[in-house]
Amino acid sequence: MTIFSVQSTIFSRASVVLLSSNGLKRFSFASSFSSNAVYSSPLPKTKKRRCYPIVSAVDIAGVTIARNDVVRDDDPTNNVPDSIFSKLGMQLHRRDKHPIGIIKNAIYDYFDSNYAKEFEKFEDLSPIVSTKQNFDDVLVPADHVSRSLNDTYYVDPQTVLRCHTSAHQAELLRKGHRRFLVTGDVYRRDSIDATHYPVFHQMEGFCVFSPEDWNESDIDSTLHAAEDLKKCLEGLARHLFGAVEMRWVDTYFPFTNPSFELEIYFKEDWLEVLGCGVTEQGILKQSGLDNNVAWAFGLGLERLAMVLFDIPDIRLFWSSDERFTSQFGKGELGVKFKPFSKYPPCYKDISFWISDSFTENNFCEVVRGIAGDLVEEVKLIDNFTNKKGMTSHCYRIVFRSMERSLTDEEVNNLQSKVRDEVQRKLNVELR
C-alpha cells in the first residue's frame, strides 16, 4: 500500500506490449482489464508547442518505448507531456550514490538483517500500467479524485503512468509472491513548490500470513498482523533515524483496515514517516487468498531523503550538477547536503479571469511545460469574485535556477510564453 507522501494523498517485470485496438495503438498487459475511471479531459487539446527538449525513446526495464507511444500530441485522452516522458527510465532509486538509492539500500539492509531472505525485492517494474492495476485492484473508489485527468497522467483511457507502487500488488500476489518490497518512480500531476514534483519515488512493503501464523499466537488474525506490522516499522524507523520517540495515528485508506500513520519526533517536530495498515480482505480474495491476512506499508523516498540529508528543494534530486552529485557516496546515509550556491529568485505575477473548467493543477502543468525546473514555486496570492460573478486569480511564479543566475531577458521570455499558453490552453481571460 502506498501513501501519497512527499506529496501526500492516497495510496516478474510487467511486460509492455503494443496492441492495435480500433486502429489505435495502446499499451496492454497480459490480462484483460476494464475501468470505471472518472475521465474528463483536463485541457482542451491543441497542437503542442515545443517548450521542452524532446526525447525520442526511453528504456524501461529493458524495453524500449518510443515517445509517440506515450506522448500523443493530437489525442484528447492523453495528457503526458514531454517533460514527464523524459523522466521515464531514469530510475534514480537504482543509483547507489544518489540520495534516493542510498535510502532504498538502507531500507533493504534493515529487512535483510531482520528478515533474512523473507522479502523479495522488485525495483524494475514498468511504470506504465493499466487503470485496473492502478485503481481497481487496490479498491480505489470509482469516483475518487485520483482517477481524474486532473491528478493522473493518462496514456489512453485504459493506461496510466502509475500513481503508486501499489499498482503491482495484485499482479505479484497472483504470481505467488507473499512477502515483497516494490520500489519505483511514480507520477502525479501536482502543485509547484520545494516539496512537490510530478515524479517521485515510493517503496511498498507487503507481508501475507497463513492461519498457522496467528493460531500459534492465540490472538485474532487482524490483531496479529497489526502488531507484527508495528513492530517491523518501529524497527525500521530506529534503523533510519536512531532512538527517536514515535507515535501511531489512526487514519483511513481505501485498501487497509485498520490503517495507521507512523510519526517520529525529529528535530523538535512530529514528522510523518509512512502510512500502513492491515490489508482489506477484498484485495486478498481477488488473488485467491481468502483464508489469509496481510499487512502493507508505503513510504516516499524523497520525503525521507530530504529530512535525512537536509536537502531543501525536491528539484535537486534530478540535478546532474557535480556540486550536488559528488556530495553523496554509496552507503553514506545521512550525509548533510552543503548548498553550493543560492541564486536570486525572480518573481512574476499573472492574473486572469478563470472559467468553470479551470484547475490549479492544469495551470501548474502549463508553467512546468514551459519553464521546466527553472520554476521554483507557483502560489495563489489573490482571488476575488466581482459583481458579475466572474472570479479572478492572481498567481506569483518564482523562477530560480539551482545552478546559475537567470537573466531578466530569459525570465521575461518565459513569463511571456506562460501568458500565451495559459490563455490558449486554459480558456481564461488575462487581466
Side-chain angles (χ1 to χ4, degrees):
M1 179 210 64
T2 305
I3 310 311
F4 289 6
S5 218
V6 174
Q7 34 249 71
S8 204
T9 320
I10 82 177
F11 128 33
S12 148
R13 173 178 302 171
S15 59
V16 182
V17 185
L18 280 173
L19 299 180
S20 178
S21 175
N22 299 324
L24 296 175
K25 283 187 175 181
R26 65 177 177 81
F27 281 96
S28 186
F29 297 77
S31 58
S32 61
F33 52 79
S34 61
S35 173
N36 295 317
V38 178
Y39 198 82
S40 57
S41 181
L43 292 174
K45 207 71 172 183
T46 54
K47 188 173 179 61
K48 294 181 182 178
R49 297 181 183 177
R50 304 303 180 197
C51 302
Y52 205 90
I54 296 176
V55 177
S56 62
V58 296
D59 182 86
I60 304 176
V63 178
T64 299
I65 306 298
R67 172 190 178 273
N68 291 342
D69 292 326
V70 178
V71 181
R72 299 169 185 172
D73 297 334
D74 300 315
D75 183 352
T77 69
N78 177 286
N79 66 346
V80 181
D82 284 296
S83 58
I84 294 299
F85 177 73
S86 67
K87 298 292 194 295
L88 291 172
M90 293 188 70
Q91 297 189 319
L92 301 183
H93 60 286
R94 305 189 75 187
R95 303 182 185 185
D96 290 342
K97 296 182 180 180
H98 191 281
I100 301 299
I102 295 169
I103 291 283
K104 179 209 71 178
N105 289 332
I107 297 172
Y108 279 2
D109 289 343
Y110 169 76
F111 278 92
D112 289 343
S113 299
N114 294 275
Y115 304 91
K117 298 181 180 180
E118 289 186 31
F119 284 81
E120 298 176 88
K121 305 179 184 72
F122 300 90
E123 56 181 41
D124 64 346
L125 302 179
S126 174
I128 303 173
V129 300
S130 71
T131 50
K132 180 178 184 296
Q133 290 173 298
N134 197 71
F135 300 120
D136 301 336
D137 285 349
V138 288
L139 308 184
V140 175
D143 60 350
H144 197 280
V145 64
S146 65
R147 289 180 180 258
S148 73
L149 277 140
N150 187 58
D151 284 48
T152 296
Y153 290 108
Y154 278 81
V155 177
D156 61 40
Q158 293 84 33
T159 313
V160 299
L161 303 185
R162 65 185 170 207
C163 300
H164 45 194
T165 47
S166 302
H168 305 287
Q169 193 178 99
E171 177 189 8
L172 292 173
L173 290 173
R174 285 193 294 267
K175 289 183 176 180
H177 304 288
R178 296 295 178 260
R179 298 189 175 197
F180 51 83
L181 303 173
V182 179
T183 311
D185 42 324
V186 297
Y187 298 80
R188 209 166 302 149
R189 301 175 92 239
D190 214 330
S191 55
I192 299 176
D193 58 37
T195 61
H196 291 77
Y197 202 79
V199 189
F200 53 107
H201 298 77
Q202 293 185 335
M203 179 181 290
E204 161 117 353
F206 203 89
C207 181
V208 178
F209 298 93
S210 300
E212 52 266 26
D213 295 320
W214 65 80
N215 286 339
E216 292 179 1
S217 63
D218 198 33
I219 60 175
D220 172 78
S221 60
T222 299
L223 182 58
H224 174 81
E227 289 185 352
D228 187 87
L229 169 67
K230 290 182 176 181
K231 178 181 177 182
C232 171
L233 296 181
E234 287 173 358
L236 175 60
R238 284 190 289 270
H239 178 75
L240 296 175
F241 294 94
V244 292
E245 184 181 353
M246 304 179 211
R247 69 183 183 189
W248 290 97
V249 179
D250 293 334
T251 188
Y252 165 79
F253 304 118
F255 21 66
T256 54
N257 184 26
S259 302
F260 315 101
E261 290 176 346
L262 175 60
E263 296 182 352
I264 64 170
Y265 196 71
F266 190 74
K267 295 183 178 179
E268 299 184 352
D269 199 5
W270 286 103
L271 170 71
E272 178 194 335
V273 176
L274 51 80
C276 61
V278 178
T279 307
E280 282 282 4
Q281 283 302 115
I283 292 176
L284 296 175
K285 286 180 179 179
Q286 68 187 7
S287 300
L289 299 172
D290 303 50
N291 298 319
N292 298 84
V293 69
W295 57 244
F297 74 83
L299 52 83
L301 296 179
E302 275 87 349
R303 181 181 184 84
L304 299 183
M306 292 181 80
V307 172
L308 287 169
F309 293 100
D310 283 350
I311 295 174
D313 193 314
I314 196 169
R315 294 176 298 165
L316 281 164
F317 291 116
W318 298 93
S319 175
S320 58
D321 193 313
E322 288 188 1
R323 291 172 295 178
F324 176 77
T325 59
S326 65
Q327 294 192 37
F328 309 100
K330 182 178 180 179
E332 297 178 358
L333 181 66
V335 171
K336 302 307 179 185
F337 169 67
K338 297 181 178 62
F340 42 82
S341 189
K342 188 69 170 179
Y343 296 98
C346 300
Y347 301 96
K348 292 290 182 179
D349 293 349
I350 180 171
S351 299
F352 45 80
W353 300 104
I354 68 171
S355 64
D356 291 340
S357 61
F358 175 83
T359 72
E360 190 167 297
N361 276 0
N362 285 341
F363 176 59
C364 289
E365 279 292 301
V366 171
V367 177
R368 271 202 181 99
I370 292 167
D373 287 350
L374 296 181
V375 59
E376 178 177 88
E377 184 179 32
V378 172
K379 185 177 182 180
L380 179 67
I381 59 172
D382 184 52
N383 73 91
F384 70 91
T385 301
N386 67 13
K387 293 180 180 180
K388 296 181 180 179
M390 298 174 63
T391 299
S392 170
H393 282 188
C394 180
Y395 287 91
R396 177 154 295 160
I397 304 174
V398 182
F399 296 97
R400 189 203 314 250
S401 170
M402 296 175 290
E403 300 171 356
R404 60 185 176 83
S405 292
L406 300 176
T407 65
D408 288 340
E409 181 181 3
E410 187 175 13
V411 173
N412 288 336
N413 184 48
L414 289 172
Q415 179 72 356
S416 177
K417 288 180 179 179
V418 168
R419 290 177 61 85
D420 289 345
E421 289 293 277
V422 165
Q423 188 169 27
R424 188 174 70 92
K425 287 186 173 183
L426 300 186
N427 191 29
V428 301
E429 181 183 341
L430 294 176
R431 298 183 60 216

